[in-house]
Amino acid sequence: MKTNLSWTLATVGVSAALGTAFGCGRSGDDAAKADVASGEAQYAALCAGCHGTQGEGKTAPTLRHWTRGEPALAGIIDERMPLGDPAKCKGKCATDVAKYILEKLQGDLVCAAPRPTARGLRLLTRREYRRTVQDLLGLAFATKGGDTCEASFRYDPQGRSVSKVHVAGSFNAWPATTAAGGWPLTLTGAVWTGKRTLPQGQYLYKFVLDERDWIADPGNGKTSPDGFGGNNSVLDVQCGVGGGAADPTTSFPVDTRPEGFLFDDSARGRIVTPVLADEYFRAATTLATVAVGDLGKITGCANLGDEKACAASFVARFGARAFRRPLTGTETARYVDLTSKQGSLASGVRAALRAFLNAPQFLYRSEQGTPQKDGTYRLSGFEIASALSYGLWGTMPDDVLFAAAEKGELDAPEGREKQARRMLADARARETVGTFAEQWLGSENVASATKAAQLYPAWSESLGASMAEETRRFVTSVVFDGSHTYEELVTAKYSMVDDRLAPLYGLAGGSASFEKRDYPDGTRAGILGHASVLTATSHSDQTSPIRRGLFVRRRLLCQELPAPPPNAGGVPKVDPNATTRERFAQHTANPTCKACHQYIDGVGFGFEPFDAIGQKRTQENGRDIDPKGDMNDVEGLGTQTHAPYTGLRELGQILASSRAAKACVVKQYGRFVAGGVDDDACASSDVVRRFEATGGDLREMIVATFASPSFVLRRSAP
Amino acid sequence: MIERRRILKALAASAITLPFAGLFAKSARSAPSVAKRLIVFYFPDGVPAPQGQASRFHASGSELAFSLPENLAPLEPYRSSCVFLNGLSMGGTDAGSHPGGAKKLLTGVDGGGGESIDRYLARTVGAGSPNRHLYFGAMANQNAASGDKHISYPSPGTTVAPEDNPILSFQRLFVPQGNGTQDTEGASVIDTVKGDLDDVRASLEGAERQKLDLHLEALREVERRVKGLSPTCGGAAVDISGIDASQLYSPERFPGVLRAHIDIMVQAMACGLSQVGVVQCSQHTSELIMSRFPATPLYKANFDMRSHQASHYGDPGDPKFADYVAQRTWFASQFAYLLGELQKRPDGTGTMLDSSVVLLCSEVCDGNTHLHDNMPFVLAGRAGGTLRTGRLLSFGYRRHSDLLLSLARAMGDGATSFGQECQGVLPGLFV
């Protein structure tokens, strides 16, 4: 078995004591050693996947605090393990594994050093790309508006006699006739007009008069050569409102999230497909065309007349921002060459912008580092600057960060801490914490949930959108404006409420903007009582104590459970004479189900006073709701503790004082920042210590994540 | 502000000279001995095959004299073009798991540790197509679907999300970006970026380098489109006028979205824009409320029945079982629609169905037990005369890797093995 450097076992005393227990003379000692060695091999092959290489527990409970002796452990292994295939380890195998566990895997683990995450390239997410290109090109995208919008066509014949006009273009494959699909214009007064709804983007078109004469739109000055000696008219369809350039990322494919990973920025799970490459190419072309509209601004050249000098300074200056580090000699030569070969400065700059925005140095941020003596890799100053800015702001570094990187100020924890504190004061940090919160808590997609209208007439997509916004605003408000504490996150007696949410919470009035409002009674507590969470963890026609229990286990406590076995049975059918809790009682009655559901249902039942869209209820199907729950084994599955609670406020208090819950938020935030899951329980130990030492201050947790020595270290990717 | 984002009627009508005629001719082989195209049609949550009872999905009988049960009734008109497969297994690993099944389904490798057959063929026999691979979904990305919900693996362990929006699929395939004029600037832009990709790639190793390999392949595909003339797809119109981009995840809209994506797939393939495509209905452990499909036998007012919920019928006597059976029949009817669309279009001396190979599949067998034996597979299309269709082939125990390999062979790829425990092509399948 491989030695894991980050673990130190504090169990010498235990194993020595067990060693004497086996002592029956020398040969007996040897036999016992052989048994343990055999148990170790079997454990690695059959048990470690679920219980962890050190018995620390992953999808299965921890084994490190076994108190019931060897025969009981061996008996369970013989009878039930590995789960679903107990034939694999019977008799001697079971006793050997039990011996190994009791001799080698007992007691608390002590973390020696955090384990760095894997080195490599991290593709910008869709949201990161959207922010980055705006910062890089000095643009502001319109924030609202759909994927498609209306385009108007108008042809004034100015006295020319025409009996039929249609539009032919790249949007309808250039039909010569209306019968072939040409879009007819209608004569209104003396002018031909028509409207069409189109996906946003750039199109080329012509008017066709009497299905014979193809002409460019005389009312549109923007043209491009048609390849036949004439011109096509250029139509820019931009759906934004309130000004600003069209957002070219609305058609980007979604960011793939590998199994079990909650966040959109997986470093290893996302690749550039042909569709995405196509989108990058199209977006770059559109953005470059917009950007060269102000050549002075984009090049930064005082003298546009000196094209050669301007091209060189543009490539160096813009390139260093696009690639988030100074260009290499090869890159400079390559881009100067492209810029200078396009005929004019404007077209050269456009070509270079297109290339910069398609280049891997732009699309991926590097976290490769340079090799160190101990086998780790250390990030460069510029790599650290990007890691800070994407982690805290979701976009490229600003000038201050670039300068700090250049001066080597980000190599030391103090330098990163100083920058992190500066950056937290910026609105972009709120935005990014909001993104983390909605992905962590699963509230991001609640607007697209489907609910049964006859049961939940109050439900609408816009109510769902308000729920999602509430959670974003609440979490950012706790982190930035409130006490900053984890405790407030799970116990707050208020939330951020607009006029759509107010009636749902039993509050009067409200306005279209979100305001801090106290709940009318003591039944809700922080995010636990958020309509977004309660709705997202329910089905269309009923609540789900299972999903709500798993919400607490997986998202808040980082406790994973295996998938249900075959023949699991699924959701019990709706019974008009029973409460949901009564219907799910079989889970804890049936021993197979109970193995996992003892950790799920009891937690989830305490949420039953809220229906599938988060409205309060005291009865279901005419029967009183039993609001009691049990936050058992809060510090780890298999620890066999009980914490009965009534009402979410009590649950919030239990979580607020739980070490596992605090360690979990650190872990989840670390996953979001690192773009990956680190299985190592030690990964964030230093941040956890600091988080606990500051009384669970979430701002300090954020700062500590970036200041941590391991933040700038990487290991070889597998 | 536009509240309802819809394209009223988008047409790809006029048949301008096919700019890819040359390419197309190259891919159309002189001898009609292999399939020109592969389409995989996936539906979630298995089929009703209760233990100890007759399966409502699997055909029964002998090779030539067999009957189709309720679920496959929609395939009756196409039975002479189909091969029904019984007894194929995905092996014991993760048996009982939906994600475990989805990972093995097209890769033939436990845990999704391999490239899937569709991606493999896209980069081998399909490499010359303007679009090597089409991956369309209907509600396949709902609720930030995690990667294990998707069945297409461009590289071991890595999935990508299908396109759920037919408007975007339509736009990418049928609305050319230029106006038939060459983007010479774009071509030099791509040359520059390729230089960058080569340099960055050289600094990487292992999986990271493979990421850049895939990126480079993707860029080459863009390059072919940029350096060639923009494709214009002629032929019949694809009507996507009913698609509302803001309602892609409403269960009521599911049938319309699926229909539009099938139409776009068939049209793109008819034009020679691609040779390999996957249509993914929803995602495993599906929350799709199928009782809300309007004007279908599944519709029930004020009653929500989800795909995964119905699949756990418990006992065939439970009312959920009838819902489950009806749902699977509906999925088969959509597959039948796809076959019908292919059959409508002449190709060479036959139809597009004759020159295609099409696979119907799900990630588990019976939805109640989730087991991975006797998987629900149906092959359709004569693959250019390669396959002996109109048959029921039953195997005792055979890994479905052999089916995946058979798909490769049907497409004219010379692979000798694919996935785990591969023994060779399925016996009795090929002419």
Side-chain angles (χ1 to χ4, degrees):
Chain A
M1 201 171 119
K2 274 195 289 186
T3 313
N4 190 332
L5 290 175
S6 60
W7 298 100
T8 308
L9 301 179
T11 55
V12 184
V14 177
S15 52
L18 283 168
T20 54
F22 293 129
C24 312
R26 198 169 171 77
S27 61
D29 264 357
D30 284 350
K33 270 186 198 158
D35 290 349
V36 170
S38 145
E40 178 172 357
Q42 299 285 3
Y43 181 88
L46 302 173
C47 321
C50 297
H51 289 282
T53 54
Q54 302 298 320
E56 73 276 20
K58 284 168 75 180
T59 56
T62 177
L63 303 168
R64 299 198 67 92
H65 307 281
W66 187 260
T67 54
R68 291 156 58 196
E70 188 196 308
L73 183 56
I76 289 171
I77 296 168
D78 183 86
E79 194 184 318
R80 296 214 292 266
M81 295 287 142
L83 207 62
D85 198 1
K88 275 193 178 150
C89 192
K90 308 293 274 184
K92 183 161 186 315
C93 169
T95 50
D96 288 353
V97 170
K99 280 176 187 164
Y100 168 70
I101 291 169
L102 294 177
E103 179 151 346
K104 302 285 188 189
L105 303 182
Q106 295 301 294
D108 284 339
L109 283 162
V110 177
C111 295
R115 185 167 180 245
T117 52
R119 66 193 290 253
L121 298 182
R122 296 178 61 178
L123 187 66
L124 300 187
T125 64
R126 182 160 63 164
R127 74 183 152 82
E128 288 168 344
Y129 178 100
R130 184 187 299 130
R131 277 203 163 278
T132 304
V133 292
Q134 291 179 83
D135 290 349
L136 182 62
L137 300 170
L139 301 171
F141 294 151
T143 49
K144 290 223 189 298
D147 304 334
T148 64
C149 51
E150 209 161 69
S152 304
F153 299 95
R154 183 178 185 277
Y155 172 62
D156 182 352
Q158 297 185 317
R160 180 172 169 173
S161 162
V162 181
S163 60
K164 205 171 176 184
V165 179
H166 77 262
V167 186
S170 53
F171 35 65
N172 62 358
W174 304 94
T177 62
T178 51
W183 296 348
L185 300 185
T186 50
L187 188 62
T188 322
V191 182
W192 295 82
T193 59
K195 284 179 181 174
R196 283 281 162 166
T197 306
L198 286 167
Q200 62 180 6
Q202 195 177 66
Y203 302 90
L204 299 164
Y205 67 100
K206 278 188 170 174
F207 290 146
V208 187
L209 313 180
D210 294 326
E211 304 195 336
R212 192 183 59 237
D213 296 337
W214 294 62
I215 62 162
D217 179 354
N220 181 353
K222 206 169 167 188
T223 60
S224 92
D226 65 5
F228 301 99
N231 279 320
N232 289 317
S233 298
V234 178
L235 174 68
D236 284 311
V237 178
Q238 297 189 357
C239 306
V241 292
D247 179 353
T249 65
T250 54
S251 53
F252 279 25
V254 299
D255 294 301
T256 292
R257 304 184 193 192
E259 187 176 18
F261 192 66
L262 301 176
F263 306 104
D264 63 354
D265 63 345
S266 165
R268 300 185 59 77
R270 297 179 306 118
I271 55 170
V272 176
T273 60
V275 167
L276 186 51
D278 216 31
E279 291 290 334
Y280 285 148
F281 193 78
R282 184 190 53 75
T285 306
T286 308
L287 292 167
T289 307
V290 172
V292 293
D294 190 341
L295 203 55
K297 179 179 150 198
I298 196 70
T299 59
C301 297
N303 179 10
L304 290 170
D306 187 350
E307 299 205 343
K308 202 175 165 193
C310 180
S313 74
F314 158 72
V315 165
R317 201 189 118 278
F318 184 86
R321 296 182 69 237
F323 291 176
R324 300 174 287 269
R325 56 158 174 77
L327 266 55
T328 64
T330 313
E331 288 164 348
T332 304
R334 186 177 283 146
Y335 279 82
V336 168
D337 184 58
L338 177 68
T339 311
S340 55
K341 279 190 178 158
Q342 304 300 320
S344 71
L345 181 65
S347 55
V349 169
R350 186 179 60 209
L353 287 171
R354 289 174 75 182
F356 276 127
L357 296 180
N358 281 290
Q361 303 95 315
F362 167 74
L363 295 171
Y364 301 87
R365 51 194 173 100
S366 168
E367 292 191 352
Q368 296 195 80
T370 48
Q372 308 292 296
K373 278 186 191 143
D374 64 357
T376 63
Y377 294 78
R378 197 179 170 84
L379 300 185
S380 74
F382 288 105
E383 288 176 325
I384 299 169
S386 281
L388 274 163
S389 72
Y390 282 95
L392 281 162
W393 283 351
T395 188
M396 61 180 284
D398 65 355
D399 291 344
V400 177
L401 260 182
F402 276 133
E406 207 160 1
K407 287 185 220 149
E409 290 173 1
L410 305 177
D411 298 334
E414 299 74 33
R416 294 196 298 280
E417 175 155 350
K418 185 180 147 197
Q419 288 299 328
R421 292 198 188 281
R422 173 184 75 88
M423 294 170 76
L424 276 175
D426 188 285
R428 286 172 287 189
R430 294 183 82 104
E431 174 82 22
T432 311
V433 164
T435 300
F436 160 69
E438 69 181 5
Q439 296 184 358
W440 169 40
L441 300 171
S443 60
E444 58 188 320
N445 293 305
V446 70
S448 67
T450 304
K451 298 290 166 182
Q454 75 278 11
L455 298 175
Y456 309 107
W459 172 254
S460 69
E461 199 179 314
S462 48
L463 177 65
S466 287
M467 291 178 179
E469 187 62 23
E470 175 198 4
T471 300
R472 276 188 81 101
R473 283 172 187 258
F474 170 77
V475 176
T476 51
S477 162
V478 168
V479 173
F480 292 94
D481 313 324
S483 68
H484 319 161
T485 61
Y486 178 76
E487 182 177 4
E488 185 171 352
L489 210 58
V490 290
T491 60
K493 297 172 179 171
Y494 69 90
S495 191
M496 309 301 285
V497 177
D498 70 353
D499 55 358
R500 287 201 187 101
L501 288 164
L504 191 140
Y505 288 139
L507 292 166
S511 71
S513 56
F514 286 78
E515 295 160 339
K516 187 171 170 177
R517 304 273 305 264
D518 286 335
Y519 292 127
D521 58 35
T523 55
R524 294 182 202 257
I527 50 173
L528 302 173
H530 274 209
S532 65
V533 167
L534 296 164
T535 302
T537 54
S538 295
H539 296 294
S540 62
D541 55 356
Q542 55 187 298
T543 62
S544 173
I546 310 305
R547 289 179 166 195
R548 288 169 171 183
L550 287 172
F551 167 83
V552 174
R553 290 288 175 198
R554 289 184 170 150
R555 295 185 190 251
L556 302 187
L557 292 169
C558 297
Q559 295 167 350
E560 291 300 331
L561 289 147
N567 259 325
V571 181
K573 66 178 174 228
V574 174
D575 179 345
N577 301 311
T579 64
T580 303
R581 183 181 192 128
E582 287 164 345
R583 289 189 294 121
F584 279 88
Q586 58 161 315
H587 275 155
T588 31
N590 175 332
T592 314
C593 302
K594 196 182 168 187
C596 291
H597 282 275
Q598 61 178 320
Y599 302 119
I600 303 171
D601 303 26
V603 187
F605 284 144
F607 290 81
E608 277 298 282
F610 301 96
D611 71 12
I613 64 167
Q615 299 174 121
K616 241 177 80 177
R617 61 178 183 179
T618 52
Q619 287 202 321
E620 185 185 7
N621 295 325
R623 296 167 71 88
D624 286 342
I625 298 269
D626 175 357
K628 289 192 288 298
D630 182 4
M631 184 64 259
N632 56 332
D633 292 45
V634 64
E635 301 302 336
L637 303 182
T639 49
Q640 306 194 355
T641 61
H642 287 278
Y645 72 90
T646 303
L648 297 181
R649 198 148 282 176
E650 285 184 23
L651 175 61
Q653 292 295 350
I654 294 166
L655 292 172
S657 51
S658 157
R659 293 189 70 186
K662 285 197 202 72
C664 182
V665 67
V666 171
K667 204 177 216 181
Q668 299 285 21
Y669 186 69
R671 289 171 179 173
F672 174 70
V673 170
V677 175
D678 210 313
D679 275 348
D680 192 312
C682 286
S684 48
S685 53
D686 56 337
V687 184
V688 174
R689 273 198 296 277
R690 198 158 153 192
F691 186 40
E692 286 181 338
T694 56
D697 187 313
L698 293 158
R699 293 223 299 191
E700 293 306 311
M701 174 198 83
I702 293 172
V703 171
T705 298
F706 294 92
S708 167
S710 67
F711 181 69
V712 297
L713 296 179
R714 296 294 179 270
R715 64 181 160 81
S716 258
Chain B
M1 201 177 109
I2 310 298
E3 281 294 342
R4 286 282 160 259
R5 297 160 246 174
R6 50 168 68 217
I7 296 184
L8 294 175
K9 177 95 173 169
L11 291 166
S14 112
I16 295 183
T17 326
L18 264 180
F20 283 86
L23 261 174
F24 189 40
K26 204 163 52 178
S27 60
R29 288 155 186 84
S30 45
S33 56
V34 293
K36 284 182 191 166
R37 61 194 78 80
L38 165 70
I39 303 176
V40 175
F41 185 98
Y42 163 88
F43 65 95
D45 301 335
V47 299
Q51 283 172 320
Q53 281 203 26
S55 168
R56 309 303 202 268
F57 184 93
H58 296 78
S60 60
S62 64
E63 181 169 351
L64 291 169
F66 57 90
S67 60
L68 301 181
E70 187 172 353
N71 281 165
L72 296 185
L75 299 185
E76 212 49 83
Y78 307 100
R79 71 187 267 153
S80 65
S81 298
C82 292
V83 184
F84 302 91
L85 298 163
N86 285 349
L88 292 179
S89 169
M90 300 202 300
T93 303
D94 294 330
S97 154
H98 286 280
K103 289 171 192 173
K104 290 187 278 187
L105 185 60
L106 296 183
T107 64
V109 180
D110 296 345
E115 182 183 24
S116 58
I117 188 66
D118 52 309
R119 298 284 170 175
Y120 169 77
L121 290 170
R123 79 177 162 80
T124 56
V125 295
S129 301
N131 301 271
R132 286 173 308 167
H133 190 276
L134 302 177
Y135 189 17
F136 297 156
M139 294 177 72
N141 299 320
Q142 192 178 20
N143 203 16
S146 66
D148 60 287
K149 302 266 191 185
H150 300 139
I151 56 171
S152 185
Y153 284 70
S155 68
T158 305
T159 57
V160 294
E163 179 57 65
D164 272 354
N165 183 351
I167 296 174
L168 293 178
S169 303
F170 181 95
Q171 229 183 313
R172 288 187 189 119
L173 286 163
F174 304 134
V175 182
Q177 284 187 29
N179 171 32
T181 53
Q182 226 172 335
D183 180 4
T184 46
E185 180 185 295
S188 50
V189 163
I190 288 182
D191 286 340
T192 302
V193 174
K194 275 163 69 183
D196 285 342
L197 269 168
D198 282 339
D199 289 352
V200 173
R201 184 185 169 280
S203 73
L204 300 167
E205 53 190 13
E208 294 297 297
R209 177 176 282 211
Q210 206 173 11
K211 249 175 16 184
L212 270 277
D213 288 340
L214 290 167
H215 190 155
L216 191 58
E217 272 182 44
L219 191 72
R220 290 208 179 101
E221 195 174 312
V222 176
E223 180 182 32
R224 282 204 303 278
R225 290 197 282 267
V226 169
K227 288 190 175 170
L229 294 170
S230 301
T232 307
C233 186
V238 174
D239 182 4
I240 53 167
S241 59
I243 303 300
D244 179 341
S246 70
Q247 296 292 317
L248 293 174
Y249 296 98
S250 303
E252 294 82 359
R253 307 298 183 106
F254 181 92
V257 168
L258 176 60
R259 178 65 51 102
H261 260 153
I262 292 174
D263 289 344
I264 293 169
M265 178 76 74
V266 171
Q267 179 66 11
M269 293 211 168
C271 292
L273 295 182
S274 186
Q275 289 178 265
V276 179
V278 176
V279 177
Q280 174 163 352
C281 299
S282 189
Q283 42 181 262
H284 72 70
T285 47
S286 171
E287 288 287 308
L288 178 61
I289 305 171
M290 300 182 72
S291 58
R292 293 205 193 180
F293 290 180
T296 70
L298 306 178
Y299 183 79
K300 286 184 192 169
N302 295 339
F303 174 79
D304 284 355
M305 182 52 69
R306 299 172 285 277
S307 167
H308 185 229
Q309 180 188 14
S311 79
H312 285 283
Y313 52 84
D315 180 281
D318 191 293
K320 276 196 285 194
F321 187 70
D323 292 320
Y324 185 49
V325 173
Q327 289 177 354
R328 310 299 113 175
T329 305
W330 187 85
F331 281 126
S333 74
Q334 302 308 296
F335 182 69
Y337 172 79
L338 166 63
L339 301 186
E341 288 301 298
L342 291 169
Q343 198 174 47
K344 264 187 207 166
R345 289 168 170 76
D347 187 19
T349 55
T351 71
M352 274 179 75
L353 184 56
D354 295 326
S355 57
S356 303
V357 58
V358 196
L359 177 70
L360 175 66
C361 59
S362 190
E363 84 283 358
V364 292
C365 179
D366 176 58
N368 197 47
T369 57
H370 299 172
L371 296 177
H372 295 175
D373 295 325
N374 197 16
M375 291 294 293
F377 287 121
V378 176
L379 267 182
R382 293 181 206 278
T386 317
L387 301 184
R388 301 163 75 226
T389 55
R391 280 157 207 277
L392 165 63
L393 298 182
S394 300
F395 304 96
Y397 172 93
R398 221 177 156 93
R399 275 295 281 259
H400 82 301
S401 298
D402 296 352
L403 168 64
L404 302 178
L405 176 69
S406 301
L407 293 176
R409 292 288 188 76
M411 288 286 284
D413 182 83
T416 52
S417 185
F418 194 89
Q420 281 172 314
E421 284 183 48
C422 190
Q423 300 177 55
V425 297
L426 292 174
L429 180 62
F430 287 89
V431 171

